[in-house]
Amino acid sequence: MIVFVSGGARSGKSDIAEQRAVSAAGGSSCYYLATADVYDAEMAERVARHRQSRHEQWQNVQWKTIEAPLRIDQAIAKVPDGSVVLLDCLTLWASQVLYASELSEEAGLALLANALSDARSRRMHFVIVSNDINEALPPTDAETWRYLAFLQRAHRWLAAEADSVVEVIAGCAVEWKEEERKREREMCV
């Protein structure tokens, strides 16, 4: 099961994604693929806050963190078959592809495709979080346009591939692609 969760900054998308992961885990461990590259004290503090928040909010779940600022395909390969995985977030990963690696955009998208393919073939419940940054005023410089175009290209592809697509607005989850619910109803018939 591939679940794509998107929303604006501070919309509650990570909380919704964590809820989906914990629910799917049913008391088992969850793997957290962290794409943030900790490059300064402020970022280290932010990461520590996120970890503490997960620990406090989900005391009955053990989160196993795998740092994966770029090679999400290699990180997924380390996770056991059938596991629940939360990738947070695709937005930071996209910046790593474009600005902290020698990868082309195509090679970056291939990493994402390989991670999804591997997760699906090994029956993982893979929840991917990303920021919807297309809601602001249009950028005025070419590099911001390039980043936005790359991220939105990844979003469109991911939405097409995902079994469930969720948009989070002010803490409320809106289902845009309800494959997960359809399957659940079919199982009850």
Side-chain angles (χ1 to χ4, degrees):
M1 170 69 64
I2 308 297
V3 180
F4 176 42
V5 179
S6 180
R10 308 292 184 259
S11 64
K13 64 192 168 294
S14 290
D15 289 338
I16 296 292
E18 288 172 10
Q19 289 171 8
R20 299 285 171 115
V22 168
S23 176
S28 298
S29 297
C30 292
Y31 288 82
Y32 187 93
L33 298 189
T35 61
D37 193 12
V38 181
Y39 51 84
D40 64 14
E42 181 182 346
M43 191 58 144
E45 182 181 320
R46 193 169 170 199
V47 167
R49 274 196 321 265
H50 274 265
R51 283 187 178 164
Q52 184 63 31
S53 173
R54 277 194 308 278
H55 175 72
E56 289 171 1
Q57 187 169 0
W58 308 110
Q59 293 178 1
N60 61 331
V61 176
Q62 181 183 7
W63 289 94
K64 298 179 179 181
T65 301
I66 300 174
E67 304 290 334
L70 182 63
R71 296 305 306 243
I72 57 177
D73 58 335
Q74 292 175 359
I76 282 286
K78 296 176 184 177
V79 177
D81 292 2
S83 295
V84 175
V85 179
L86 171 63
L87 184 149
D88 199 354
C89 77
L90 199 66
T91 316
L92 291 175
W93 173 82
S95 67
Q96 301 292 347
V97 169
L98 292 180
Y99 306 114
S101 79
E102 299 296 320
L103 294 174
S104 68
E105 291 179 20
E106 294 304 319
L109 293 173
L111 287 180
L112 179 60
N114 289 341
L116 253 66
S117 177
D118 190 24
R120 186 169 272 137
S121 72
R122 296 193 298 125
R123 301 171 326 279
M124 292 180 185
H125 194 98
F126 192 16
V127 181
I128 302 170
V129 179
S130 194
N131 285 293
D132 186 354
I133 60 170
N134 207 22
E135 302 285 324
L137 294 172
T140 58
D141 64 282
E143 201 54 42
T144 304
W145 270 113
R146 176 178 171 240
Y147 174 75
L148 181 62
F150 176 69
L151 184 61
Q152 292 304 325
R153 187 172 161 205
H155 284 182
R156 287 190 311 271
W157 178 83
L158 185 54
E161 291 293 316
D163 300 298
S164 176
V165 176
V166 180
E167 180 182 18
V168 181
I169 304 166
C172 297
V174 178
E175 289 278 352
W176 287 104
K177 191 173 182 182
E178 301 186 46
E179 291 298 325
E180 184 175 65
R181 282 198 234 171
K182 287 179 187 174
R183 281 194 210 119
E184 288 171 358
R185 283 193 298 263
E186 289 169 3
M187 290 173 52
C188 294
V189 174

Coordinates of all heavy atoms in Angstrom, one line a residue, residues 86-130:
L86 N 7.4 5.3 7.0 CA 7.0 6.7 6.8 C 8.2 7.4 6.3 O 9.2 7.5 7.0 CB 6.5 7.2 8.1 CG 6.2 8.7 8.2 CD1 5.1 9.1 7.2 CD2 5.9 9.2 9.6
L87 N 8.1 8.0 5.1 CA 9.1 8.9 4.6 C 8.7 10.3 4.8 O 7.6 10.8 4.3 CB 9.3 8.6 3.1 CG 10.5 9.4 2.4 CD1 11.1 8.6 1.3 CD2 10.0 10.8 1.9
D88 N 9.5 11.1 5.5 CA 9.2 12.5 5.8 C 10.5 13.3 5.6 O 11.4 13.1 6.4 CB 8.7 12.6 7.3 CG 7.9 13.9 7.5 OD1 7.9 14.8 6.6 OD2 7.3 14.0 8.6
C89 N 10.6 14.1 4.6 CA 9.6 14.4 3.6 C 10.2 14.5 2.2 O 11.4 14.7 2.1 CB 8.8 15.7 4.0 SG 9.7 17.2 3.6
L90 N 9.3 14.3 1.2 CA 9.7 14.4 -0.1 C 10.3 15.8 -0.5 O 11.1 15.9 -1.4 CB 8.6 14.0 -1.0 CG 8.9 13.5 -2.4 CD1 9.7 12.2 -2.4 CD2 7.7 13.4 -3.3
T91 N 9.8 16.8 0.1 CA 10.2 18.2 -0.2 C 11.7 18.3 0.1 O 12.4 18.9 -0.8 CB 9.4 19.2 0.6 OG1 8.0 18.8 0.6 CG2 9.6 20.6 0.1
L92 N 12.1 17.9 1.2 CA 13.6 18.0 1.5 C 14.4 17.1 0.6 O 15.5 17.4 0.2 CB 13.8 17.6 3.0 CG 13.3 18.6 4.0 CD1 13.5 18.1 5.4 CD2 14.0 20.0 3.8
W93 N 13.9 15.9 0.4 CA 14.5 14.9 -0.5 C 14.8 15.6 -1.9 O 15.8 15.5 -2.5 CB 13.8 13.6 -0.6 CG 14.3 12.7 -1.7 CD1 15.4 11.9 -1.5 CD2 13.9 12.6 -3.0 NE1 15.6 11.2 -2.7 CE2 14.7 11.6 -3.6 CE3 12.9 13.1 -3.8 CZ2 14.6 11.2 -4.9 CZ3 12.7 12.8 -5.1 CH2 13.6 11.8 -5.7
A94 N 13.7 16.3 -2.4 CA 13.8 16.9 -3.7 C 15.0 17.9 -3.7 O 15.7 18.1 -4.7 CB 12.5 17.5 -4.1
S95 N 15.1 18.7 -2.6 CA 16.2 19.7 -2.6 C 17.5 19.0 -2.5 O 18.5 19.5 -3.1 CB 16.0 20.6 -1.4 OG 16.2 19.9 -0.2
Q96 N 17.6 17.8 -1.9 CA 18.9 17.1 -1.9 C 19.2 16.6 -3.3 O 20.4 16.7 -3.7 CB 18.8 15.8 -1.0 CG 18.5 16.1 0.4 CD 19.6 16.8 1.2 OE1 20.7 16.9 0.7 NE2 19.3 17.3 2.3
V97 N 18.2 16.1 -4.1 CA 18.5 15.7 -5.4 C 19.0 16.8 -6.3 O 20.0 16.7 -7.0 CB 17.2 15.1 -6.1 CG1 17.4 14.9 -7.6 CG2 16.8 13.8 -5.4
L98 N 18.4 18.0 -6.2 CA 18.7 19.1 -7.1 C 20.0 19.8 -6.6 O 20.7 20.3 -7.5 CB 17.6 20.1 -7.2 CG 16.3 19.6 -7.9 CD1 15.3 20.7 -7.9 CD2 16.6 19.2 -9.3
Y99 N 20.2 20.0 -5.3 CA 21.3 20.9 -4.9 C 22.4 20.2 -4.0 O 23.4 20.9 -3.8 CB 20.6 22.0 -4.0 CG 19.5 22.7 -4.8 CD1 18.2 22.6 -4.4 CD2 19.8 23.4 -6.0 CE1 17.2 23.2 -5.1 CE2 18.8 24.0 -6.7 CZ 17.5 23.9 -6.3 OH 16.5 24.5 -7.0
A100 N 22.3 19.0 -3.7 CA 23.3 18.3 -2.8 C 23.8 17.0 -3.4 O 24.3 16.2 -2.7 CB 22.8 18.1 -1.4
S101 N 23.5 16.9 -4.7 CA 24.0 15.6 -5.4 C 24.4 15.9 -6.8 O 24.1 17.0 -7.3 CB 22.9 14.6 -5.3 OG 21.9 14.8 -6.3
E102 N 24.9 14.9 -7.4 CA 25.3 15.1 -8.9 C 24.2 14.4 -9.7 O 24.4 14.3 -10.9 CB 26.6 14.4 -9.1 CG 27.8 15.0 -8.4 CD 28.1 16.4 -8.8 OE1 28.0 16.7 -10.0 OE2 28.4 17.2 -7.9
L103 N 23.1 14.0 -9.1 CA 22.0 13.3 -9.9 C 21.3 14.3 -10.8 O 21.1 15.5 -10.4 CB 21.0 12.7 -8.9 CG 21.5 11.6 -8.0 CD1 20.4 11.2 -7.1 CD2 21.9 10.4 -8.9
S104 N 20.9 13.8 -11.9 CA 20.0 14.5 -12.8 C 18.6 14.4 -12.2 O 18.3 13.6 -11.4 CB 20.0 14.0 -14.2 OG 19.4 12.7 -14.2
E105 N 17.7 15.2 -12.7 CA 16.3 15.1 -12.3 C 15.7 13.8 -12.6 O 15.0 13.1 -11.8 CB 15.4 16.2 -12.9 CG 15.8 17.6 -12.4 CD 15.0 18.7 -13.0 OE1 13.9 18.4 -13.6 OE2 15.4 19.9 -12.9
E106 N 16.1 13.2 -13.8 CA 15.6 11.9 -14.2 C 16.1 10.8 -13.2 O 15.4 9.9 -12.9 CB 16.0 11.6 -15.6 CG 15.3 12.5 -16.6 CD 13.8 12.5 -16.5 OE1 13.2 11.4 -16.4 OE2 13.2 13.6 -16.7
A107 N 17.4 10.9 -12.9 CA 18.0 9.9 -12.0 C 17.3 10.0 -10.6 O 17.1 9.0 -9.9 CB 19.5 10.1 -11.9
G108 N 17.0 11.2 -10.1 CA 16.3 11.4 -8.9 C 14.9 10.8 -8.9 O 14.6 10.0 -8.0
L109 N 14.2 11.0 -10.0 CA 12.9 10.4 -10.1 C 13.0 8.9 -10.2 O 12.1 8.2 -9.7 CB 12.1 11.0 -11.3 CG 11.7 12.5 -11.1 CD1 11.1 13.0 -12.4 CD2 10.8 12.7 -10.0
A110 N 14.0 8.4 -10.8 CA 14.3 6.9 -10.9 C 14.5 6.3 -9.5 O 14.0 5.2 -9.2 CB 15.4 6.6 -11.8
L111 N 15.2 7.1 -8.6 CA 15.3 6.6 -7.2 C 14.0 6.5 -6.5 O 13.7 5.5 -5.8 CB 16.2 7.6 -6.4 CG 17.7 7.7 -6.6 CD1 18.3 8.8 -5.7 CD2 18.4 6.4 -6.4
L112 N 13.1 7.5 -6.7 CA 11.8 7.4 -6.1 C 11.0 6.3 -6.7 O 10.4 5.5 -5.9 CB 11.1 8.8 -6.4 CG 9.6 8.9 -5.9 CD1 9.6 8.7 -4.4 CD2 9.1 10.2 -6.3
A113 N 11.1 6.1 -8.0 CA 10.3 4.9 -8.6 C 10.9 3.6 -8.1 O 10.1 2.7 -7.8 CB 10.5 5.0 -10.1
N114 N 12.2 3.5 -7.9 CA 12.7 2.2 -7.4 C 12.3 2.0 -6.0 O 12.0 0.8 -5.6 CB 14.3 2.3 -7.5 CG 14.8 2.2 -8.9 OD1 14.0 1.8 -9.8 ND2 16.0 2.6 -9.1
A115 N 12.3 3.0 -5.2 CA 11.8 2.8 -3.8 C 10.4 2.4 -3.7 O 10.0 1.5 -3.0 CB 12.0 4.2 -3.0
L116 N 9.5 3.0 -4.5 CA 8.1 2.6 -4.6 C 7.9 1.2 -5.1 O 7.2 0.4 -4.5 CB 7.3 3.5 -5.4 CG 6.4 4.5 -4.7 CD1 7.2 5.5 -3.9 CD2 5.4 5.2 -5.6
S117 N 8.6 0.8 -6.1 CA 8.5 -0.5 -6.7 C 9.0 -1.6 -5.7 O 8.3 -2.6 -5.5 CB 9.4 -0.6 -8.0 OG 9.4 -1.9 -8.5
D118 N 10.1 -1.3 -5.0 CA 10.6 -2.2 -4.0 C 9.6 -2.4 -2.8 O 9.3 -3.5 -2.4 CB 12.0 -1.7 -3.5 CG 12.7 -2.8 -2.6 OD1 12.4 -4.0 -2.7 OD2 13.5 -2.3 -1.8
A119 N 9.1 -1.2 -2.4 CA 8.1 -1.3 -1.2 C 6.9 -2.1 -1.6 O 6.4 -2.9 -0.9 CB 7.8 0.2 -0.8
R120 N 6.4 -1.8 -2.8 CA 5.2 -2.5 -3.3 C 5.4 -4.0 -3.5 O 4.6 -4.8 -3.0 CB 4.7 -1.9 -4.6 CG 3.4 -2.5 -5.0 CD 2.8 -1.7 -6.2 NE 2.0 -0.6 -5.6 CZ 2.0 0.6 -6.1 NH1 2.7 1.0 -7.1 NH2 1.2 1.5 -5.5
S121 N 6.6 -4.4 -4.0 CA 6.8 -5.8 -4.3 C 7.1 -6.6 -3.0 O 6.9 -7.8 -3.0 CB 8.0 -5.9 -5.2 OG 9.2 -5.6 -4.6
R122 N 7.5 -5.8 -1.9 CA 7.8 -6.5 -0.7 C 6.6 -6.2 0.3 O 6.8 -6.4 1.5 CB 9.1 -6.1 -0.1 CG 10.2 -6.6 -1.1 CD 11.6 -6.5 -0.5 NE 12.0 -5.1 -0.2 CZ 12.5 -4.8 1.1 NH1 12.5 -5.6 2.0 NH2 12.8 -3.5 1.3
R123 N 5.5 -5.9 -0.2 CA 4.2 -5.7 0.6 C 4.4 -4.8 1.8 O 3.9 -5.0 2.9 CB 3.8 -7.1 1.1 CG 3.4 -8.1 0.0 CD 3.2 -9.5 0.5 NE 3.9 -9.9 1.6 CZ 5.2 -10.4 1.6 NH1 5.9 -10.4 0.5 NH2 5.8 -10.8 2.7
M124 N 5.1 -3.7 1.6 CA 5.2 -2.7 2.7 C 4.0 -1.7 2.6 O 3.4 -1.5 1.6 CB 6.5 -1.9 2.5 CG 7.7 -2.7 2.7 SD 9.2 -1.6 2.4 CE 10.5 -2.8 2.6
H125 N 3.8 -1.1 3.7 CA 2.8 0.0 3.8 C 3.7 1.2 3.8 O 4.4 1.5 4.8 CB 2.0 -0.1 5.1 CG 0.8 0.8 5.0 ND1 -0.5 0.4 4.7 CD2 0.7 2.1 5.3 CE1 -1.3 1.4 4.8 NE2 -0.7 2.4 5.1
F126 N 3.8 2.0 2.7 CA 4.7 3.1 2.6 C 4.0 4.4 2.5 O 3.2 4.6 1.6 CB 5.5 2.8 1.3 CG 6.7 3.7 1.0 CD1 7.3 4.4 2.1 CD2 7.3 3.7 -0.2 CE1 8.4 5.1 1.8 CE2 8.4 4.5 -0.5 CZ 9.0 5.2 0.5
V127 N 4.1 5.2 3.5 CA 3.5 6.5 3.6 C 4.5 7.6 3.3 O 5.6 7.6 4.0 CB 2.9 6.7 5.0 CG1 2.2 8.1 5.1 CG2 2.0 5.6 5.4
I128 N 4.2 8.4 2.3 CA 5.2 9.5 1.9 C 4.6 10.8 2.1 O 3.4 11.1 1.7 CB 5.5 9.3 0.4 CG1 6.2 7.9 0.2 CG2 6.5 10.4 -0.1 CD1 6.3 7.5 -1.2
V129 N 5.3 11.7 2.8 CA 4.8 13.0 3.2 C 5.5 14.1 2.3 O 6.7 13.9 2.1 CB 5.1 13.4 4.6 CG1 4.7 14.8 5.0 CG2 4.5 12.3 5.6
S130 N 4.8 15.1 1.8 CA 5.4 16.2 1.1 C 4.7 17.5 1.3 O 3.5 17.5 1.7 CB 5.5 15.9 -0.4 OG 6.4 16.8 -1.0

